């Protein structure tokens, strides 16, 4: 492996690069977490989070990874033996299913091909059949990070409403929040599960549950043992800006700054930027003659693009060539997709030039690894970013306006 200069290109779909502004905000002495100074920080962070989750309700922040926040959602709302409906969108939906099963939940897992999102019509049909209301919750992953497919949570909510079914709606927004439009209150989501190291542009270490009144009521009567993850234990001290145990103080400084950055840019602009970068990435992939894993254009992920390798070529060997030569990390294929796809993350602190640098690394890597492709994908991405079509305006014919 050669010595590299400059910054490492962390183009995995999370953890995403941490902006310098956030790093500086965290570069603070640790303060007493029982002081008024801490309470002011915590209150500011709770209020800021409400804007990002789009809720007026409670948000709980655990010192944990996203997996901890998954567990908190389960143990606070469900009871052993409860039945839930989940959808096999990919690796992460499968992992969440396994966790639910370990907690004694009976999971009905709607099969999927890992190339489409959760189908609102199929959920509606299944809930309509469940006239006895045996299904206690619908649990879906908003942005399936293993496949680059974003499910339409607003449509799923509308489908649930059509049936009048009372199931809770639990949504994993671990890789979507802060990058893709998400509306906890408007979509009547009961538990939104998220974490710090993706759209929030923070290091790993914070897990979130945004909770509805209905979820909080369910938590009062459910029969799952819990201690660390107990919402009520958290909410009591949180009301005055405190935690029942030692919070991740410096990550909260970072969170306050990251929220300020997202709101300064404007959430709609943040989402539009992600969509623009994703479209440019797909333009490059298509030009190379490679295949985007997601098959449904309305479900293309703004956060990442999973790319299928041509048969006979190993995605992990290719990723190693890119890492060794160009100091860039790309996401690997997970479980069933291992070796078959690589994933380009384009989330968080990513702009046009970062993306073009990353795509250049992919294109040079394809050449270096001997993967068949058509050169010029980066040009196609530039064309997409500039809003022109490649064929009708080749770069060398562009008119320079003086
Ligand atoms: N859910 C999704 C959609 C994810 O992308 C991830 C991690 O990448 C997880 C769950 C697990 O989160 P963590 O690794 O922070 O525990």
């Amino acid at each position: 492996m050669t010595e590299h200069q400059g910054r490492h290109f962390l183009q995995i779909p999370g953890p995403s690069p941490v902006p310098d502004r956030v790093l500086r905000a965290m570069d603070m002495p640790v303060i007493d977490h029982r002081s008024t100074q801490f309470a002011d920080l915590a209150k500011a962070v709770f209020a800021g989070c409400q804007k990002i989750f789009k809720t007026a309700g409670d948000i709980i922040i655990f010192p944990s990874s996203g997996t901890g926040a998954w567990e908190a959602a389960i143990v606070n709302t469900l009871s052993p033996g409860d039945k839930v409906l989940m959808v096999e969108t990919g690796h992460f939906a499968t992992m969440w299913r396994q966790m639910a099963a370990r907690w004694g939940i009976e999971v009905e897992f709607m099969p999927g091909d890992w190339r489409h999102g959760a189908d609102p019509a199929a959920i509606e049909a299944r809930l309509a059949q469940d006239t006895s209301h045996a299904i206690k919750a619908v649990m879906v992953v908003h942005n399936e990070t293993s496949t680059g497919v974003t499910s339409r949570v607003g449509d799923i909510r509308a489908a649930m409403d059509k049936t009048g079914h009372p199931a809770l709606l639990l949504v994993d927004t671990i890789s979507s929040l802060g990058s893709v439009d998400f509306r906890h209150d408007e979509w009547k989501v009961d538990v939104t599960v998220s974490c710090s190291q993706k759209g929030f542009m923070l290091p790993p270490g914070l897990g979130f549950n945004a909770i509805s009144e209905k979820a909080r009521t369910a938590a009062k009567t459910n029969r799952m043992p819990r201690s660390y993850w107990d919402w009520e234990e958290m909410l009591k001290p949180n009301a005055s800006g405190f935690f029942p145990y030692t919070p991740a103080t410096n990550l909260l400084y970072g969170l306050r700054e990251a929220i300020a950055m997202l709101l300064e840019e404007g959430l709609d602009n943040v989402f539009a930027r992600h969509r623009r970068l994703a479209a440019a990435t797909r333009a490059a992939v298509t030009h190379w003659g490679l295949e985007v894993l997601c098959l449904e254009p309305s479900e293309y992920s703004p956060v990442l693009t999973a790319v299928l390798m041509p048969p006979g070529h190993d995605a992990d060997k290719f990723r190693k060539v890119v890492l060794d030569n160009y100091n860039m990390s790309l996401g690997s294929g997970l479980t069933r997709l291992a070796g078959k796809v690589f994933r380009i993350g384009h989330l968080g602190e990513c702009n046009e030039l970062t993306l073009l640098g990353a795509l250049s690394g992919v294109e040079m890597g394809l050449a270096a690894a001997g993967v068949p492709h058509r050169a010029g994908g980066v040009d196609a991405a530039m064309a997409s970013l500039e809003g022109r079509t490649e064929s009708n305006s080749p770069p060398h014919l562009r008119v320079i306006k003086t």
Side-chain angles (χ1 to χ4, degrees), residues 1 37 43 65 73 133-134 140 150 166 187 229 255 342 352 397:
M1 179 142 163
Q37 193 188 353
K43 284 181 198 160
S65 83
H133 297 167
V140 289
T150 308
W187 295 343
W229 304 115
L255 179 58
F342 64 92
E352 280 82 354
L397 292 183

Side-chain angles (χ1 to χ4, degrees), residues 185-254:
D185 282 0
E186 189 184 319
W187 295 343
K188 290 177 276 168
V189 178
D190 293 297
V191 189
T192 298
V193 175
S194 205
C195 69
S196 52
Q197 73 270 22
K198 315 244 184 192
F200 271 129
M201 306 174 288
L202 290 164
L206 297 178
F208 300 86
N209 279 177
I211 59 180
S212 69
E213 273 308 318
K214 188 171 157 190
R216 198 166 170 188
T217 306
K220 293 200 169 121
T221 52
N222 84 317
R223 291 175 287 100
M224 200 72 93
R226 59 189 179 267
S227 170
Y228 184 79
W229 304 115
D230 192 90
W231 287 344
E232 288 304 319
E233 289 300 310
M234 261 292 200
L235 287 169
K236 274 179 256 157
N238 276 181
S240 47
F242 296 107
F243 280 63
Y245 43 68
T246 313
T249 315
N250 288 44
L251 283 173
L252 297 179
Y253 280 126

Side-chain angles (χ1 to χ4, degrees), residues 14 65-68 70 92 141 143-145 172 174-175 195 197-198:
S65 83
T67 304
W70 264 354
F92 289 104
V141 175
N143 185 70
E144 179 52 78
T145 326
D172 168 341
I174 284 177
S175 64
C195 69
Q197 73 270 22
K198 315 244 184 192

